[in-house]
Amino acid sequence: MKIHEYQAKELFRQAGIRVPRGIVASTPVEASEAFRQLGQPLAVVKAQIHAGGRGKGTVAHNPAQRGVQLVRNPEEAFQVASALLGHPLVTVQTGPEGKTVQRVLVEEGCRIDRELYLGIVVDRAAALPVFMASTEGGVEIEKVAAESPEKIFKEHFDPSRGLQPFQVRKLCRKLGLAGTSAKAAHSFFTNLCRFFVQHDCSLVEINPLVVDGDGQLLALDAKVNFDDNAAFRHPEWQQLRDLSEEEPAEVRASQAGLSYVKLNGNIGCLVNGAGLAMATMDIIKYYGGEPANFLDVGGGANTQQVTEAFRILLADANVRAVLVNIFGGIMKCTTIAEALLEAYRTVGFNVPLVVRLEGTEVEQGRRILGEAGVNIITASDLADAAQKVVQAAGLGR
């Protein structure tokens, strides 16, 4: 789950992580008034969307306008906000359609002596969070990782103990932080790691982290993603969620208890089990097709969920065929066969449907489908299913 920069910075502030003063605005008038309230000769107006690269991003109808701009008076704040609000901002992460800006963050300017990078993610190979830092702040960290990986410094830490003092000292030496800045780094780095653990984050990123004129550290940007699996522990997350920034089909699927991710292909996939879903997508590509989605209905899906899954799949105008790949374990093949037929009758199919069943009560399930008298293409195994769905979609090699 992603949140906006202004929301992340408010959480940072509560956690003792230093951030600039800023005010959120949803109209040009509010942006102008925010500049006055900050009372500084310089401010920055920042578009608030769930995507990186905003500084280089351009407004769709006016490429001269960027997603992050400096302003020096209330009138400029008004003008920049007018150019951003209600218009799509196109960045390297949004695709050519961009994302519509509904809010801007008006933030006080500061004196920047240095720009650094900080990030925390989970290193699954080490089964630990890893704290990352680099002297190359303010630029795309992906580019640094590809071209100069030696400039990214990493320290794994135990989530129950946090980042240790010797690790902070090691990072300070590598980052060239000394004196006041090194002292500030101790509380900043440790607070950031504590924040990551306590808030069940999957990503925390500050780019850039600035060293200001007083040698203090300041999070000039803030990117925070939460781990959806921990949502049951954090009811407060619902207040931070911006559904307008999410794919509508993915929101609809989550409300039905389905795990769905929309992709750009043309073969819809309905599978039970995340690993099997990934294998299904891979073999579709192997035979020349492109999956239109990842969809895991889970091991205990009922008729209502399967029906909703089909509605979501068929609402995608790019879908030219659907592959159902079910391995019956907890969910019996007879159950899924009956659910498929009910969904077929309820939703109505306008594209070919290929079904591969395996597992518990598979022969009975296949017989149910075969005797139903509906236009369903059955497959004997996964390779057979993939070839048939790619052929049915008019694709393949």
Side-chain angles (χ1 to χ4, degrees), residues 68-362:
V68 178
Q69 298 185 58
L70 292 172
V71 294
R72 291 171 174 78
N73 54 59
E75 291 72 27
E76 287 186 2
F78 183 96
Q79 293 168 3
V80 170
S82 298
L84 291 173
L85 290 167
H87 302 291
L89 181 68
V90 180
T91 80
V92 293
Q93 294 185 8
T94 64
E97 69 280 0
K99 286 193 173 183
T100 301
V101 180
Q102 298 182 353
R103 302 173 191 84
V104 295
L105 175 62
V106 183
E107 201 166 66
E108 65 181 355
C110 68
R111 176 185 164 188
I112 301 174
D113 282 1
R114 293 185 62 197
E115 293 188 351
L116 307 174
Y117 168 88
L118 294 184
I120 308 176
V121 295
V122 176
D123 182 343
R124 300 193 182 279
L128 287 171
V130 57
F131 185 98
M132 301 177 293
S134 176
T135 55
E136 304 300 300
V139 298
E140 296 174 7
I141 196 64
E142 295 83 2
K143 184 177 181 180
V144 178
E147 299 178 0
S148 307
E150 73 280 358
K151 294 182 179 180
I152 300 177
F153 315 118
K154 301 178 181 179
E155 290 290 331
H156 293 83
F157 62 92
D158 184 331
S160 65
R161 300 177 62 199
L163 201 66
Q164 297 299 295
F166 78 91
Q167 294 177 297
V168 176
R169 291 193 294 270
K170 187 191 301 185
L171 288 166
C172 285
R173 285 195 300 272
K174 292 179 177 179
L175 294 172
L177 298 175
T180 300
S181 298
K183 184 178 179 180
H186 179 81
S187 61
F188 197 104
F189 291 4
T190 54
N191 284 345
L192 195 65
C193 291
R194 187 179 302 113
F195 176 93
F196 181 88
V197 174
Q198 290 180 347
H199 288 268
D200 284 306
C201 298
S202 58
L203 168 71
V204 169
E205 188 175 64
I206 300 174
N207 190 21
L209 169 75
V210 303
V211 182
D212 67 15
D214 298 321
Q216 297 295 325
L217 304 186
L218 191 68
L220 208 61
D221 191 21
K223 184 176 182 180
V224 171
N225 292 354
F226 297 130
D227 183 347
D228 293 343
N229 295 307
F232 70 96
R233 286 200 290 258
H234 299 277
E236 71 278 7
W237 286 359
Q238 289 305 312
Q239 298 177 358
L240 301 174
R241 191 176 180 185
D242 186 350
L243 296 180
S244 68
E245 289 282 337
E246 300 181 28
E247 167 61 45
E250 294 177 9
V251 175
R252 180 177 175 181
S254 67
Q255 292 170 344
L258 304 170
S259 180
Y260 173 89
V261 178
K262 189 178 185 305
L263 302 173
N264 296 322
N266 38 38
I267 295 179
C269 306
L270 188 154
V271 190
N272 66 327
L276 185 59
M278 297 298 291
T280 302
M281 294 162 61
D282 286 345
I283 200 165
I284 286 172
K285 289 182 68 70
Y286 178 80
Y287 284 107
E290 285 293 333
N293 62 274
F294 168 98
L295 175 55
D296 173 15
V297 298
N302 54 37
T303 300
Q304 290 75 22
Q305 288 176 303
V306 173
T307 301
E308 181 65 5
F310 275 119
R311 287 196 179 102
I312 293 169
L313 291 179
L314 297 176
D316 185 347
N318 294 327
V319 169
R320 294 163 60 176
V322 174
L323 171 58
V324 175
N325 184 22
I326 298 295
F327 185 87
I330 298 174
M331 180 193 297
K332 298 177 182 179
C333 289
T334 50
T335 301
I336 195 66
E338 291 167 354
L340 283 173
L341 293 176
E342 179 61 29
Y344 193 98
R345 288 189 288 265
T346 303
V347 179
F349 275 70
N350 53 6
V351 297
L353 172 63
V354 178
V355 178
R356 177 255 183 172
L357 298 179
E358 195 59 74
T360 308
E361 298 185 357
V362 62

